[in-house]
Amino acid sequence: MRELLDRDDFIPGYRYRLIRPDGALCEYTTDYYNVADGWCGDPIRIGVSKPEDWRLLVPAGQ
């Protein structure tokens, strides 16, 4: 992901999965942007998603 952002400054519809602290497995789709250079020249990145851009794959405890 960092290589794509460094090259293009934008990743549309990046899909990823994560396990929440409660153990649920979720999938998200997010648009990522390089927006500026921050303190000490480190890039500032943001991700933008809508509520409908995520889904629960496996509920907590299963």
Side-chain angles (χ1 to χ4, degrees), residues 1-11 14 32-34 37 41-45:
M1 183 172 100
R2 287 185 65 180
E3 286 179 20
L4 290 172
L5 276 173
D6 289 343
R7 186 188 71 208
D8 300 334
D9 289 328
F10 173 62
I11 303 173
Y14 186 79
Y32 283 98
Y33 303 84
N34 266 344
D37 288 332
D42 294 327
I44 296 172
R45 298 177 178 104

Side-chain angles (χ1 to χ4, degrees), residues 10-31:
F10 173 62
I11 303 173
Y14 186 79
R15 181 171 289 162
Y16 59 99
R17 292 180 176 181
L18 60 87
I19 298 174
R20 296 188 320 201
D22 65 3
L25 176 64
C26 302
E27 184 174 73
Y28 290 82
T29 303
T30 303
D31 295 336

